[in-house]
Amino acid sequence: MIAEASVPLSASLQGEAEDAIREITRFDAEVSAVLTHRGDGDGLSDIELAPLASVLLRTESASSSEIEGITAGARALALAAIEEKSGVNAQLVTANVAAMQKALAMSDEISIRSVLAAHESLLTGHPYADPGRLRTEAIWIGGAALSPHAAEFVPPHHSRLPELMDDLVLFAQRVDLPVLVQVAIAHAQFETIHPFNGGNGRTGRALVHAMLRRAEVTRRLTIPVSAGLLTDTPAYFDALSEYRAGRIVPIIDQFVTASFRAVANGQKLVSELDVVCRSWSARLASRQGSAARLLLPHLLNQPAVNVKFIVAVLGVTATAAQRAVAQLEAAEILSPLNANRRNRVWLAGEVLDALDGFAERVRRRR
């Protein structure tokens, strides 16, 4: 039980955790300021923060899923978002985006109810996981399927889940701890409780972002902390095991390191997308306010589009949407995915390249 537990820390570790939080807060503020108030005369002042915030949310969701072995490339995720043919993994990552969104939307209320809502968003349609409900049976990690004998870890008995989750929520609501320290411990405790039949890791990482938002460390963005953890997953899993043995320093170290990695990778991705946007603005001949130009910010978040999507997001006619696509093709901003005359899809290759580059960086083991 950790609701009222003391958390002894060395001065150096506490300082590192506070430095990491400052980096996250600074990144959130800088990106918000730059993309919301550009006005620099290069034709990009209409590129709002919302699409880029969605980009970071999706990259975080993809990284969190990849920690669990669920991998999907940027193109597959973009196609899944417009309900084009995509694999099961892309659909699972898309569901993880919804779970993250639900957790962030309910960040003012860190409660069992909000955790259950995030889990339900994550695994709706997957009855094995009993979405939105605490498990009612024993589970274990590793070993054989029929018995917990030789399992790597056996979480608490399901009869204890209500009291353990209540205790976790009380800990998450404390205001006397350094934020990143509190987040790391809450996450490790959640993974130790393992309250669900499936989806514990992804739901537990969604809780991380709800806590960061509640503490106002982040206001607009989702910092890709899972991407930082993904860079060295063995160390992350080892740190969770250390926590279960009563040693809290390793998991805090992992979150400190992951946060610095997350900011560095996030800054690089934002910079690359900014270069893409400037290039688009220079190449696109259409006037300000045209459908083609209004579509540009949406391509950051959704680099695979069809006419139906364009009509929905811009509120224009199908004819205007087709005209916008033609202009964007002429400027080499969009290229057709297929040669079909009906149900055609176009891709923003430069955005997909930037997103795949981000994914490749975070996979490099250190």
Side-chain angles (χ1 to χ4, degrees), residues 174-220:
R174 285 172 58 172
V175 295
D176 63 319
L177 296 170
V179 174
L180 197 59
V181 170
Q182 183 180 23
V183 165
I185 292 174
H187 173 71
Q189 182 78 347
F190 181 92
E191 299 306 324
T192 299
I193 295 169
H194 238 64
F196 301 117
N197 287 337
N200 290 283
R202 285 166 287 167
T203 306
R205 287 182 290 275
L207 174 64
V208 166
H209 292 286
M211 290 181 67
L212 291 174
R213 184 66 55 88
R214 180 177 182 270
E216 297 186 345
V217 171
T218 58
R219 294 175 180 269
R220 304 288 297 277

mmCIF file of all heavy atoms in Angstrom, residues 174-220:
data_model
loop_
_atom_site.group_PDB
_atom_site.id
_atom_site.type_symbol
_atom_site.label_atom_id
_atom_site.label_comp_id
_atom_site.label_asym_id
_atom_site.label_seq_id
_atom_site.Cartn_x
_atom_site.Cartn_y
_atom_site.Cartn_z
ATOM 1 N N ARG A 174 -1.748 12.790 -4.582
ATOM 2 C CA ARG A 174 -0.907 13.526 -3.648
ATOM 3 C C ARG A 174 -0.252 14.733 -4.328
ATOM 4 O O ARG A 174 -0.050 14.748 -5.544
ATOM 5 C CB ARG A 174 0.172 12.606 -3.065
ATOM 6 C CG ARG A 174 -0.380 11.651 -2.022
ATOM 7 C CD ARG A 174 0.614 10.610 -1.582
ATOM 8 N NE ARG A 174 1.853 11.154 -1.028
ATOM 9 C CZ ARG A 174 2.791 10.400 -0.434
ATOM 10 N NH1 ARG A 174 2.613 9.088 -0.308
ATOM 11 N NH2 ARG A 174 3.896 10.953 0.037
ATOM 12 N N VAL A 175 0.071 15.734 -3.543
ATOM 13 C CA VAL A 175 0.689 16.952 -4.085
ATOM 14 C C VAL A 175 2.014 17.262 -3.403
ATOM 15 O O VAL A 175 2.568 18.354 -3.582
ATOM 16 C CB VAL A 175 -0.268 18.158 -3.937
ATOM 17 C CG1 VAL A 175 -1.507 17.972 -4.792
ATOM 18 C CG2 VAL A 175 -0.649 18.377 -2.467
ATOM 19 N N ASP A 176 2.542 16.285 -2.646
ATOM 20 C CA ASP A 176 3.754 16.536 -1.864
ATOM 21 C C ASP A 176 4.989 15.877 -2.463
ATOM 22 O O ASP A 176 6.057 15.888 -1.837
ATOM 23 C CB ASP A 176 3.565 16.030 -0.432
ATOM 24 C CG ASP A 176 3.343 14.515 -0.379
ATOM 25 O OD1 ASP A 176 2.600 13.993 -1.250
ATOM 26 O OD2 ASP A 176 3.880 13.854 0.529
ATOM 27 N N LEU A 177 4.878 15.342 -3.688
ATOM 28 C CA LEU A 177 5.995 14.618 -4.288
ATOM 29 C C LEU A 177 6.416 15.271 -5.600
ATOM 30 O O LEU A 177 5.596 15.879 -6.302
ATOM 31 C CB LEU A 177 5.576 13.162 -4.580
ATOM 32 C CG LEU A 177 5.227 12.297 -3.383
ATOM 33 C CD1 LEU A 177 4.611 10.984 -3.851
ATOM 34 C CD2 LEU A 177 6.454 12.028 -2.527
ATOM 35 N N PRO A 178 7.709 15.159 -5.962
ATOM 36 C CA PRO A 178 8.124 15.611 -7.296
ATOM 37 C C PRO A 178 7.301 14.856 -8.340
ATOM 38 O O PRO A 178 7.116 13.639 -8.248
ATOM 39 C CB PRO A 178 9.605 15.216 -7.358
ATOM 40 C CG PRO A 178 10.041 15.116 -5.932
ATOM 41 C CD PRO A 178 8.859 14.639 -5.170
ATOM 42 N N VAL A 179 6.815 15.576 -9.349
ATOM 43 C CA VAL A 179 5.826 15.007 -10.267
ATOM 44 C C VAL A 179 6.330 13.749 -10.950
ATOM 45 O O VAL A 179 5.624 12.726 -11.004
ATOM 46 C CB VAL A 179 5.406 16.056 -11.317
ATOM 47 C CG1 VAL A 179 4.488 15.420 -12.363
ATOM 48 C CG2 VAL A 179 4.709 17.222 -10.644
ATOM 49 N N LEU A 180 7.547 13.786 -11.503
ATOM 50 C CA LEU A 180 8.016 12.632 -12.264
ATOM 51 C C LEU A 180 8.259 11.430 -11.353
ATOM 52 O O LEU A 180 8.050 10.282 -11.764
ATOM 53 C CB LEU A 180 9.284 12.977 -13.041
ATOM 54 C CG LEU A 180 9.639 12.003 -14.166
ATOM 55 C CD1 LEU A 180 8.513 11.921 -15.195
ATOM 56 C CD2 LEU A 180 10.934 12.396 -14.843
ATOM 57 N N VAL A 181 8.671 11.682 -10.132
ATOM 58 C CA VAL A 181 8.830 10.607 -9.151
ATOM 59 C C VAL A 181 7.476 9.961 -8.873
ATOM 60 O O VAL A 181 7.329 8.731 -8.868
ATOM 61 C CB VAL A 181 9.457 11.152 -7.851
ATOM 62 C CG1 VAL A 181 9.406 10.110 -6.745
ATOM 63 C CG2 VAL A 181 10.885 11.612 -8.105
ATOM 64 N N GLN A 182 6.478 10.798 -8.646
ATOM 65 C CA GLN A 182 5.127 10.303 -8.383
ATOM 66 C C GLN A 182 4.583 9.514 -9.573
ATOM 67 O O GLN A 182 3.991 8.439 -9.413
ATOM 68 C CB GLN A 182 4.210 11.483 -8.075
ATOM 69 C CG GLN A 182 2.783 11.086 -7.711
ATOM 70 C CD GLN A 182 1.938 12.312 -7.428
ATOM 71 O OE1 GLN A 182 2.249 13.411 -7.883
ATOM 72 N NE2 GLN A 182 0.867 12.136 -6.674
ATOM 73 N N VAL A 183 4.807 10.032 -10.778
ATOM 74 C CA VAL A 183 4.333 9.365 -11.997
ATOM 75 C C VAL A 183 4.994 7.995 -12.144
ATOM 76 O O VAL A 183 4.322 6.995 -12.436
ATOM 77 C CB VAL A 183 4.615 10.244 -13.233
ATOM 78 C CG1 VAL A 183 4.476 9.445 -14.526
ATOM 79 C CG2 VAL A 183 3.670 11.439 -13.253
ATOM 80 N N ALA A 184 6.308 7.937 -11.964
ATOM 81 C CA ALA A 184 7.036 6.679 -12.134
ATOM 82 C C ALA A 184 6.560 5.629 -11.133
ATOM 83 O O ALA A 184 6.346 4.453 -11.496
ATOM 84 C CB ALA A 184 8.538 6.918 -11.974
ATOM 85 N N ILE A 185 6.381 6.024 -9.883
ATOM 86 C CA ILE A 185 5.949 5.071 -8.861
ATOM 87 C C ILE A 185 4.508 4.632 -9.118
ATOM 88 O O ILE A 185 4.181 3.432 -9.013
ATOM 89 C CB ILE A 185 6.094 5.687 -7.452
ATOM 90 C CG1 ILE A 185 7.576 5.879 -7.122
ATOM 91 C CG2 ILE A 185 5.415 4.813 -6.393
ATOM 92 C CD1 ILE A 185 7.822 6.625 -5.816
ATOM 93 N N ALA A 186 3.644 5.577 -9.455
ATOM 94 C CA ALA A 186 2.250 5.226 -9.742
ATOM 95 C C ALA A 186 2.167 4.249 -10.907
ATOM 96 O O ALA A 186 1.393 3.286 -10.886
ATOM 97 C CB ALA A 186 1.437 6.480 -10.030
ATOM 98 N N HIS A 187 2.969 4.492 -11.940
ATOM 99 C CA HIS A 187 2.966 3.591 -13.091
ATOM 100 C C HIS A 187 3.444 2.200 -12.690
ATOM 101 O O HIS A 187 2.821 1.185 -13.054
ATOM 102 C CB HIS A 187 3.857 4.148 -14.196
ATOM 103 C CG HIS A 187 4.031 3.198 -15.348
ATOM 104 N ND1 HIS A 187 3.013 2.914 -16.226
ATOM 105 C CD2 HIS A 187 5.094 2.444 -15.731
ATOM 106 C CE1 HIS A 187 3.451 2.031 -17.119
ATOM 107 N NE2 HIS A 187 4.707 1.729 -16.834
ATOM 108 N N ALA A 188 4.529 2.129 -11.942
ATOM 109 C CA ALA A 188 5.060 0.825 -11.524
ATOM 110 C C ALA A 188 4.076 0.096 -10.613
ATOM 111 O O ALA A 188 3.919 -1.133 -10.707
ATOM 112 C CB ALA A 188 6.402 1.016 -10.822
ATOM 113 N N GLN A 189 3.408 0.840 -9.747
ATOM 114 C CA GLN A 189 2.410 0.214 -8.872
ATOM 115 C C GLN A 189 1.235 -0.323 -9.689
ATOM 116 O O GLN A 189 0.728 -1.415 -9.437
ATOM 117 C CB GLN A 189 1.921 1.229 -7.826
ATOM 118 C CG GLN A 189 0.926 0.676 -6.829
ATOM 119 C CD GLN A 189 1.578 -0.157 -5.729
ATOM 120 O OE1 GLN A 189 2.742 -0.526 -5.825
ATOM 121 N NE2 GLN A 189 0.807 -0.466 -4.689
ATOM 122 N N PHE A 190 0.810 0.451 -10.684
ATOM 123 C CA PHE A 190 -0.278 0.006 -11.558
ATOM 124 C C PHE A 190 0.098 -1.298 -12.263
ATOM 125 O O PHE A 190 -0.693 -2.239 -12.317
ATOM 126 C CB PHE A 190 -0.597 1.091 -12.588
ATOM 127 C CG PHE A 190 -1.718 0.735 -13.532
ATOM 128 C CD1 PHE A 190 -3.027 1.080 -13.237
ATOM 129 C CD2 PHE A 190 -1.465 0.047 -14.710
ATOM 130 C CE1 PHE A 190 -4.063 0.736 -14.098
ATOM 131 C CE2 PHE A 190 -2.488 -0.298 -15.574
ATOM 132 C CZ PHE A 190 -3.798 0.056 -15.267
ATOM 133 N N GLU A 191 1.318 -1.338 -12.804
ATOM 134 C CA GLU A 191 1.753 -2.543 -13.507
ATOM 135 C C GLU A 191 1.909 -3.718 -12.547
ATOM 136 O O GLU A 191 1.730 -4.882 -12.933
ATOM 137 C CB GLU A 191 3.077 -2.285 -14.237
ATOM 138 C CG GLU A 191 3.018 -1.193 -15.288
ATOM 139 C CD GLU A 191 1.925 -1.411 -16.319
ATOM 140 O OE1 GLU A 191 1.654 -2.572 -16.684
ATOM 141 O OE2 GLU A 191 1.310 -0.424 -16.750
ATOM 142 N N THR A 192 2.234 -3.447 -11.298
ATOM 143 C CA THR A 192 2.340 -4.501 -10.303
ATOM 144 C C THR A 192 0.953 -5.037 -9.927
ATOM 145 O O THR A 192 0.756 -6.252 -9.806
ATOM 146 C CB THR A 192 3.061 -3.975 -9.048
ATOM 147 O OG1 THR A 192 4.383 -3.568 -9.420
ATOM 148 C CG2 THR A 192 3.146 -5.027 -7.959
ATOM 149 N N ILE A 193 0.002 -4.146 -9.762
ATOM 150 C CA ILE A 193 -1.379 -4.566 -9.478
ATOM 151 C C ILE A 193 -1.947 -5.357 -10.650
ATOM 152 O O ILE A 193 -2.669 -6.329 -10.476
ATOM 153 C CB ILE A 193 -2.266 -3.335 -9.180
ATOM 154 C CG1 ILE A 193 -1.789 -2.639 -7.893
ATOM 155 C CG2 ILE A 193 -3.733 -3.727 -9.060
ATOM 156 C CD1 ILE A 193 -2.442 -1.277 -7.664
ATOM 157 N N HIS A 194 -1.635 -4.917 -11.876
ATOM 158 C CA HIS A 194 -2.106 -5.590 -13.102
ATOM 159 C C HIS A 194 -3.622 -5.810 -13.026
ATOM 160 O O HIS A 194 -4.096 -6.947 -13.001
ATOM 161 C CB HIS A 194 -1.362 -6.917 -13.292
ATOM 162 C CG HIS A 194 -0.629 -7.022 -14.584
ATOM 163 N ND1 HIS A 194 0.427 -6.197 -14.918
ATOM 164 C CD2 HIS A 194 -0.801 -7.849 -15.658
ATOM 165 C CE1 HIS A 194 0.881 -6.523 -16.115
ATOM 166 N NE2 HIS A 194 0.142 -7.520 -16.591
ATOM 167 N N PRO A 195 -4.396 -4.723 -13.027
ATOM 168 C CA PRO A 195 -5.819 -4.860 -12.693
ATOM 169 C C PRO A 195 -6.696 -5.456 -13.786
ATOM 170 O O PRO A 195 -7.864 -5.764 -13.533
ATOM 171 C CB PRO A 195 -6.231 -3.410 -12.417
ATOM 172 C CG PRO A 195 -5.298 -2.579 -13.234
ATOM 173 C CD PRO A 195 -3.990 -3.323 -13.203
ATOM 174 N N PHE A 196 -6.169 -5.633 -15.009
ATOM 175 C CA PHE A 196 -7.011 -6.080 -16.116
ATOM 176 C C PHE A 196 -6.546 -7.412 -16.689
ATOM 177 O O PHE A 196 -5.393 -7.824 -16.516
ATOM 178 C CB PHE A 196 -7.008 -5.023 -17.224
ATOM 179 C CG PHE A 196 -7.512 -3.678 -16.771
ATOM 180 C CD1 PHE A 196 -6.677 -2.563 -16.784
ATOM 181 C CD2 PHE A 196 -8.812 -3.526 -16.321
ATOM 182 C CE1 PHE A 196 -7.139 -1.328 -16.366
ATOM 183 C CE2 PHE A 196 -9.279 -2.291 -15.891
ATOM 184 C CZ PHE A 196 -8.446 -1.186 -15.917
ATOM 185 N N ASN A 197 -7.430 -8.049 -17.421
ATOM 186 C CA ASN A 197 -7.084 -9.291 -18.110
ATOM 187 C C ASN A 197 -6.132 -9.057 -19.275
ATOM 188 O O ASN A 197 -5.437 -9.976 -19.706
ATOM 189 C CB ASN A 197 -8.343 -9.986 -18.623
ATOM 190 C CG ASN A 197 -9.154 -10.616 -17.509
ATOM 191 O OD1 ASN A 197 -8.629 -10.908 -16.450
ATOM 192 N ND2 ASN A 197 -10.445 -10.795 -17.748
ATOM 193 N N GLY A 198 -6.107 -7.865 -19.809
ATOM 194 C CA GLY A 198 -5.221 -7.510 -20.920
ATOM 195 C C GLY A 198 -5.145 -6.005 -21.039
ATOM 196 O O GLY A 198 -6.000 -5.277 -20.530
ATOM 197 N N GLY A 199 -4.101 -5.520 -21.705
ATOM 198 C CA GLY A 199 -3.969 -4.076 -21.927
ATOM 199 C C GLY A 199 -3.436 -3.301 -20.744
ATOM 200 O O GLY A 199 -3.546 -2.072 -20.704
ATOM 201 N N ASN A 200 -2.824 -3.978 -19.773
ATOM 202 C CA ASN A 200 -2.333 -3.283 -18.573
ATOM 203 C C ASN A 200 -1.221 -2.290 -18.897
ATOM 204 O O ASN A 200 -1.217 -1.166 -18.392
ATOM 205 C CB ASN A 200 -1.842 -4.306 -17.547
ATOM 206 C CG ASN A 200 -2.977 -5.095 -16.930
ATOM 207 O OD1 ASN A 200 -3.688 -4.608 -16.067
ATOM 208 N ND2 ASN A 200 -3.153 -6.333 -17.394
ATOM 209 N N GLY A 201 -0.264 -2.710 -19.737
ATOM 210 C CA GLY A 201 0.851 -1.821 -20.044
ATOM 211 C C GLY A 201 0.407 -0.548 -20.735
ATOM 212 O O GLY A 201 0.806 0.563 -20.348
ATOM 213 N N ARG A 202 -0.435 -0.681 -21.755
ATOM 214 C CA ARG A 202 -0.889 0.493 -22.505
ATOM 215 C C ARG A 202 -1.769 1.395 -21.649
ATOM 216 O O ARG A 202 -1.653 2.620 -21.691
ATOM 217 C CB ARG A 202 -1.629 0.040 -23.769
ATOM 218 C CG ARG A 202 -0.702 -0.478 -24.863
ATOM 219 C CD ARG A 202 -1.460 -1.228 -25.950
ATOM 220 N NE ARG A 202 -1.912 -2.529 -25.471
ATOM 221 C CZ ARG A 202 -2.804 -3.286 -26.102
ATOM 222 N NH1 ARG A 202 -3.366 -2.839 -27.229
ATOM 223 N NH2 ARG A 202 -3.154 -4.462 -25.626
ATOM 224 N N THR A 203 -2.636 0.806 -20.826
ATOM 225 C CA THR A 203 -3.471 1.618 -19.936
ATOM 226 C C THR A 203 -2.614 2.305 -18.883
ATOM 227 O O THR A 203 -2.830 3.483 -18.549
ATOM 228 C CB THR A 203 -4.537 0.747 -19.252
ATOM 229 O OG1 THR A 203 -5.288 0.041 -20.251
ATOM 230 C CG2 THR A 203 -5.491 1.604 -18.436
ATOM 231 N N GLY A 204 -1.610 1.599 -18.373
ATOM 232 C CA GLY A 204 -0.727 2.186 -17.369
ATOM 233 C C GLY A 204 0.080 3.346 -17.908
ATOM 234 O O GLY A 204 0.368 4.310 -17.184
ATOM 235 N N ARG A 205 0.445 3.290 -19.198
ATOM 236 C CA ARG A 205 1.174 4.416 -19.787
ATOM 237 C C ARG A 205 0.240 5.571 -20.142
ATOM 238 O O ARG A 205 0.660 6.727 -20.163
ATOM 239 C CB ARG A 205 2.005 3.932 -20.968
ATOM 240 C CG ARG A 205 3.222 3.110 -20.507
ATOM 241 C CD ARG A 205 4.104 2.650 -21.646
ATOM 242 N NE ARG A 205 3.491 1.624 -22.464
ATOM 243 C CZ ARG A 205 3.518 0.319 -22.185
ATOM 244 N NH1 ARG A 205 4.128 -0.117 -21.086
ATOM 245 N NH2 ARG A 205 2.947 -0.560 -22.986
ATOM 246 N N ALA A 206 -1.030 5.269 -20.390
ATOM 247 C CA ALA A 206 -2.015 6.349 -20.550
ATOM 248 C C ALA A 206 -2.192 7.087 -19.225
ATOM 249 O O ALA A 206 -2.354 8.315 -19.201
ATOM 250 C CB ALA A 206 -3.350 5.774 -21.032
ATOM 251 N N LEU A 207 -2.148 6.356 -18.117
ATOM 252 C CA LEU A 207 -2.233 6.977 -16.793
ATOM 253 C C LEU A 207 -1.088 7.964 -16.579
ATOM 254 O O LEU A 207 -1.274 9.031 -15.970
ATOM 255 C CB LEU A 207 -2.213 5.890 -15.715
ATOM 256 C CG LEU A 207 -2.156 6.370 -14.260
ATOM 257 C CD1 LEU A 207 -3.416 7.149 -13.899
ATOM 258 C CD2 LEU A 207 -1.976 5.160 -13.312
ATOM 259 N N VAL A 208 0.094 7.640 -17.093
ATOM 260 C CA VAL A 208 1.241 8.544 -16.995
ATOM 261 C C VAL A 208 0.889 9.916 -17.559
ATOM 262 O O VAL A 208 1.141 10.961 -16.935
ATOM 263 C CB VAL A 208 2.460 7.957 -17.745
ATOM 264 C CG1 VAL A 208 3.545 9.014 -17.948
ATOM 265 C CG2 VAL A 208 3.017 6.756 -16.989
ATOM 266 N N HIS A 209 0.272 9.929 -18.739
ATOM 267 C CA HIS A 209 -0.028 11.211 -19.388
ATOM 268 C C HIS A 209 -1.179 11.943 -18.716
ATOM 269 O O HIS A 209 -1.193 13.175 -18.673
ATOM 270 C CB HIS A 209 -0.295 10.976 -20.867
ATOM 271 C CG HIS A 209 0.936 10.542 -21.599
ATOM 272 N ND1 HIS A 209 1.954 11.428 -21.899
ATOM 273 C CD2 HIS A 209 1.357 9.323 -22.012
ATOM 274 C CE1 HIS A 209 2.928 10.772 -22.498
ATOM 275 N NE2 HIS A 209 2.599 9.493 -22.568
ATOM 276 N N ALA A 210 -2.124 11.191 -18.162
ATOM 277 C CA ALA A 210 -3.189 11.837 -17.398
ATOM 278 C C ALA A 210 -2.613 12.546 -16.175
ATOM 279 O O ALA A 210 -3.017 13.669 -15.846
ATOM 280 C CB ALA A 210 -4.230 10.800 -16.978
ATOM 281 N N MET A 211 -1.646 11.927 -15.519
ATOM 282 C CA MET A 211 -1.032 12.537 -14.336
ATOM 283 C C MET A 211 -0.197 13.757 -14.708
ATOM 284 O O MET A 211 -0.212 14.769 -14.003
ATOM 285 C CB MET A 211 -0.186 11.498 -13.600
ATOM 286 C CG MET A 211 -1.013 10.416 -12.914
ATOM 287 S SD MET A 211 0.008 9.209 -12.014
ATOM 288 C CE MET A 211 0.679 10.253 -10.701
ATOM 289 N N LEU A 212 0.543 13.680 -15.822
ATOM 290 C CA LEU A 212 1.320 14.843 -16.264
ATOM 291 C C LEU A 212 0.404 16.007 -16.609
ATOM 292 O O LEU A 212 0.704 17.167 -16.312
ATOM 293 C CB LEU A 212 2.178 14.474 -17.475
ATOM 294 C CG LEU A 212 3.348 13.515 -17.218
ATOM 295 C CD1 LEU A 212 4.010 13.120 -18.530
ATOM 296 C CD2 LEU A 212 4.377 14.144 -16.271
ATOM 297 N N ARG A 213 -0.734 15.705 -17.239
ATOM 298 C CA ARG A 213 -1.677 16.774 -17.590
ATOM 299 C C ARG A 213 -2.334 17.344 -16.333
ATOM 300 O O ARG A 213 -2.509 18.561 -16.214
ATOM 301 C CB ARG A 213 -2.729 16.213 -18.551
ATOM 302 C CG ARG A 213 -3.728 17.231 -19.090
ATOM 303 C CD ARG A 213 -3.069 18.283 -19.992
ATOM 304 N NE ARG A 213 -2.332 17.700 -21.089
ATOM 305 C CZ ARG A 213 -2.870 17.400 -22.276
ATOM 306 N NH1 ARG A 213 -4.146 17.601 -22.499
ATOM 307 N NH2 ARG A 213 -2.116 16.921 -23.251
ATOM 308 N N ARG A 214 -2.683 16.483 -15.401
ATOM 309 C CA ARG A 214 -3.309 16.946 -14.160
ATOM 310 C C ARG A 214 -2.372 17.864 -13.375
ATOM 311 O O ARG A 214 -2.802 18.850 -12.774
ATOM 312 C CB ARG A 214 -3.706 15.751 -13.291
ATOM 313 C CG ARG A 214 -4.382 16.128 -11.972
ATOM 314 C CD ARG A 214 -4.803 14.874 -11.203
ATOM 315 N NE ARG A 214 -5.486 15.218 -9.964
ATOM 316 C CZ ARG A 214 -4.889 15.404 -8.798
ATOM 317 N NH1 ARG A 214 -3.567 15.285 -8.712
ATOM 318 N NH2 ARG A 214 -5.578 15.711 -7.711
ATOM 319 N N ALA A 215 -1.081 17.545 -13.395
ATOM 320 C CA ALA A 215 -0.095 18.367 -12.681
ATOM 321 C C ALA A 215 0.293 19.609 -13.471
ATOM 322 O O ALA A 215 1.122 20.399 -13.009
ATOM 323 C CB ALA A 215 1.149 17.532 -12.381
ATOM 324 N N GLU A 216 -0.282 19.778 -14.663
ATOM 325 C CA GLU A 216 -0.024 20.917 -15.550
ATOM 326 C C GLU A 216 1.426 20.975 -16.001
ATOM 327 O O GLU A 216 1.943 22.045 -16.318
ATOM 328 C CB GLU A 216 -0.450 22.234 -14.887
ATOM 329 C CG GLU A 216 -1.946 22.294 -14.599
ATOM 330 C CD GLU A 216 -2.390 23.650 -14.078
ATOM 331 O OE1 GLU A 216 -1.522 24.457 -13.663
ATOM 332 O OE2 GLU A 216 -3.599 23.906 -14.081
ATOM 333 N N VAL A 217 2.077 19.815 -16.020
ATOM 334 C CA VAL A 217 3.403 19.723 -16.633
ATOM 335 C C VAL A 217 3.247 19.865 -18.143
ATOM 336 O O VAL A 217 4.038 20.528 -18.815
ATOM 337 C CB VAL A 217 4.075 18.389 -16.272
ATOM 338 C CG1 VAL A 217 5.360 18.189 -17.075
ATOM 339 C CG2 VAL A 217 4.357 18.342 -14.779
ATOM 340 N N THR A 218 2.224 19.218 -18.677
ATOM 341 C CA THR A 218 1.852 19.415 -20.082
ATOM 342 C C THR A 218 0.463 20.042 -20.124
ATOM 343 O O THR A 218 -0.406 19.708 -19.308
ATOM 344 C CB THR A 218 1.824 18.079 -20.849
ATOM 345 O OG1 THR A 218 0.900 17.187 -20.204
ATOM 346 C CG2 THR A 218 3.202 17.433 -20.870
ATOM 347 N N ARG A 219 0.280 20.949 -21.072
ATOM 348 C CA ARG A 219 -1.012 21.612 -21.228
ATOM 349 C C ARG A 219 -1.668 21.290 -22.566
ATOM 350 O O ARG A 219 -2.882 21.191 -22.660
ATOM 351 C CB ARG A 219 -0.853 23.131 -21.096
ATOM 352 C CG ARG A 219 -0.430 23.587 -19.701
ATOM 353 C CD ARG A 219 -0.176 25.076 -19.663
ATOM 354 N NE ARG A 219 0.223 25.524 -18.343
ATOM 355 C CZ ARG A 219 -0.625 25.940 -17.412
ATOM 356 N NH1 ARG A 219 -1.921 25.955 -17.657
ATOM 357 N NH2 ARG A 219 -0.190 26.339 -16.234
ATOM 358 N N ARG A 220 -0.853 21.124 -23.611
ATOM 359 C CA ARG A 220 -1.418 20.921 -24.949
ATOM 360 C C ARG A 220 -0.885 19.673 -25.646
ATOM 361 O O ARG A 220 -1.558 19.117 -26.493
ATOM 362 C CB ARG A 220 -1.080 22.145 -25.842
ATOM 363 C CG ARG A 220 -1.529 23.497 -25.281
ATOM 364 C CD ARG A 220 -3.006 23.673 -25.339
ATOM 365 N NE ARG A 220 -3.521 23.672 -26.700
ATOM 366 C CZ ARG A 220 -3.539 24.727 -27.512
ATOM 367 N NH1 ARG A 220 -3.031 25.883 -27.111
ATOM 368 N NH2 ARG A 220 -4.064 24.650 -28.726
#
